[in-house]
Amino acid sequence: MRPSDLAAATPASRDRFIDLLRVASLATVVLGHWLMAAVSVGADGRVQVGNLLALQPRFQLLTWVFQVMPVFFFVGGFSHALSWRSTGRRTPKAYSVFLRARLQRLLRPTVVFIGVWGAVAMALQLAGSGGGLLDVSLRLVAQPLWFVGIYLAMVAFTPPLLRLHERYGWGAFGGLVAAAVLVDLLRFGLGVPYVEFLNFAFVWLAVHQLGFLRADGRLGRPYLLAGAGLVGAALLVGFGPYPLSMVGMPGEKVSNMAPPTLALLCHGLWLVGAVELLRAPAVRWLNRPRVWRTVVAANGVSMTAFLWHLTAMLGVYGALLALGVRLPEPGSGAWWIQVSWRIVAAVTLTGVLVAVFRAFEKPSGARESSAPRAWAGPAAALGVTLCLFGVLGLSMVGFGGLLQGRTALLMAVHVTAPAAVMMTLSGWLLVERAGRGRGGAV
């Protein structure tokens, strides 16, 4: 169905603001990545990719507005609550069906992305090609996959966390916040090793829990949420061991992002409250047919654009280097002048990649199972777990060194790229098989 048809068929009960937040948050992340990348050529001729925020620290305060991943995870909580309740009404033992339905538009384009880049990396390695920007690209393009891994965990934990929400409401959210506080106390106060990795769950799932509260109309006064989050983040950064930037900086001893910290959780509260304050004017704007059609169309390709946007950015830089265009010093006046048309070129190339790969973001025609087999739930849970560790591992190790067994440390475990790819593929197949009907396409 075309975006215009989907827009015309939108029921009056749909929360259009949630759809706008989904598109806007991913678009902001993409734009931020394009702006932060600081590619330069050193005196020895080697290509280096730095971070503008590290080179120009005065811009780090902007991450308090433009680090919007918490908004996307908040939107996920809202959508997952509605989806799980809907699936449970239609299908007994619905876990495998729910996972497949929620993950199709996430995992299918992700698996294609991994397959394409894995094949390119293998071909380059067998041909003995590499060096320069190419080696950097093989590492960088996989980094956004961390987001996919976190989102997989959110989907997987939706049923039990939603039950806690339905029983305890704000208390369930408070429990996750308390756990995040405890983790940071153990980490920074007592120096307990590896405990910080638990906040990948507690911090992001707490933000996800806010989406449940929003789905039930229990979010309360958003200005209180925004104010408390902003004040909390400011106090933690001003008097605690937390850095100013809400995104990771190269070489820093403590990152608010990896693993997430209590400061990032407060930042998430501030952002969620802030965007909720914009709801009323945004809804009036979304009632315009042309605006809503644009949002619907963008939602249909948002994951594909997110997965391929770094490929497009690095492709633009590669073309500039191949053409002998001089790259100005990152952060200089000439650099900022060049930024505008570099972004235009990256948008254009991303559009081309979306046109090529957008079909994989559409749900497949295989029908849901109306009566899942007994093994379907455990198989789907195993599948999503394999996918989670696979994409997180790949985000850390990248596509380089496929044949050399290059490793990266994932939560105290060394992982290789081939192992991460195999976990992702086998997990995706399990999720697909467990939630699919016995027949063919509908």
Side-chain angles (χ1 to χ4, degrees):
M1 187 179 290
R2 296 177 303 174
S4 57
D5 297 329
L6 290 172
T10 302
S13 59
R14 187 173 184 89
D15 193 328
R16 299 185 180 197
F17 185 56
I18 289 293
D19 292 283
L20 174 64
L21 290 180
R22 183 184 295 111
V23 169
S25 56
L26 284 183
T28 303
V29 170
V30 168
L31 180 60
H33 285 169
W34 285 342
L35 286 173
M36 285 191 302
V39 179
S40 59
V41 180
D44 57 358
R46 296 181 61 184
V47 177
Q48 302 170 335
V49 179
N51 189 313
L52 179 66
L53 298 178
L55 299 172
Q56 302 284 333
R58 67 181 185 275
F59 292 122
Q60 290 183 14
L61 188 59
L62 294 177
T63 64
W64 288 46
V65 176
F66 293 107
Q67 162 50 306
V68 293
M69 270 305 179
V71 175
F72 190 88
F73 294 144
F74 161 70
V75 168
F78 177 94
S79 301
H80 299 157
L82 298 186
S83 178
W84 173 246
R85 288 165 174 168
S86 174
T87 304
R89 286 193 296 268
R90 297 195 316 268
T91 310
K93 300 179 181 178
Y95 187 62
S96 61
V97 177
F98 166 75
L99 283 184
R100 180 174 179 269
R102 296 307 303 169
L103 296 180
Q104 267 200 336
R105 287 187 55 198
L106 182 72
L107 284 181
R108 292 179 76 230
T110 299
V111 167
V112 171
F113 172 82
I114 290 172
V116 171
W117 264 107
V120 168
M122 184 67 72
L124 291 172
Q125 195 165 355
L126 291 174
S129 302
L133 186 62
L134 192 56
D135 285 348
V136 175
S137 299
L138 291 174
R139 173 175 53 86
L140 284 182
V141 295
Q143 286 186 358
L145 292 176
W146 75 267
F147 151 80
V148 177
I150 299 300
Y151 200 77
L152 287 169
M154 291 178 173
V155 178
F157 283 107
T158 288
L161 288 177
L162 188 57
R163 285 194 293 271
L164 288 175
H165 158 74
E166 290 168 345
R167 182 170 182 178
Y168 299 108
W170 279 96
F173 167 77
L176 290 167
V177 172
V181 171
L182 178 61
V183 166
D184 272 16
L185 287 175
L186 294 174
R187 175 187 181 184
F188 296 116
L190 301 178
V192 177
Y194 300 121
V195 70
E196 64 267 26
F197 292 109
L198 292 174
N199 266 351
F200 274 114
F202 296 140
V203 168
W204 290 127
L205 289 176
V207 175
H208 188 249
Q209 207 80 5
L210 290 175
F212 295 167
L213 290 161
R214 179 66 190 83
D216 286 348
R218 300 176 64 183
L219 204 54
R221 299 175 177 87
Y223 59 86
L224 293 179
L225 194 65
L230 188 58
V231 170
L235 291 174
L236 288 170
V237 170
F239 299 100
Y242 304 96
L244 175 65
S245 174
M246 291 299 162
V247 300
M249 292 289 103
E252 65 183 356
K253 292 183 64 175
V254 176
S255 166
N256 281 321
M257 270 289 292
T261 64
L262 182 60
L264 185 66
L265 176 53
C266 288
H267 171 69
L269 301 185
W270 135 248
L271 278 184
V272 169
V275 297
E276 280 295 307
L277 289 171
L278 300 175
R279 172 176 290 275
V283 168
R284 290 193 295 269
W285 183 60
L286 288 166
N287 284 331
R288 300 178 182 179
R290 182 176 298 179
V291 173
W292 179 236
R293 284 196 300 269
T294 301
V295 171
V296 170
N299 258 311
V301 298
S302 57
M303 184 51 56
T304 303
F306 175 79
L307 288 168
W308 291 98
H309 77 278
L310 284 185
T311 303
M313 181 200 76
L314 293 165
V316 170
Y317 273 112
L320 293 176
L321 292 171
L323 293 171
V325 176
R326 187 181 71 87
L327 298 179
E329 182 70 20
S332 65
W335 187 88
W336 282 107
I337 291 173
Q338 197 184 79
V339 160
S340 58
W341 57 263
R342 274 206 319 267
I343 289 180
V344 170
V347 169
T348 302
L349 186 50
T350 300
V352 172
L353 291 168
V354 166
V356 173
F357 295 108
R358 64 183 297 178
F360 297 102
E361 195 166 344
K362 298 177 181 178
S364 71
R367 70 188 182 199
E368 296 176 354
S369 176
S370 57
R373 297 179 177 89
W375 55 264
L382 174 61
V384 76
T385 302
L386 288 172
C387 283
L388 188 158
F389 284 104
V391 295
L392 285 180
L394 199 53
S395 74
M396 300 186 71
V397 73
F399 290 100
L402 287 173
L403 300 179
Q404 283 90 359
R406 184 183 301 169
T407 66
L409 190 64
L410 174 65
M411 300 182 187
V413 177
H414 288 277
V415 63
T416 65
V421 170
M422 289 305 299
M423 282 193 290
T424 304
L425 292 177
S426 57
W428 169 63
L429 290 173
L430 272 174
V431 171
E432 279 286 312
R433 184 67 186 91
R436 187 181 300 173
R438 302 184 185 187
V442 286

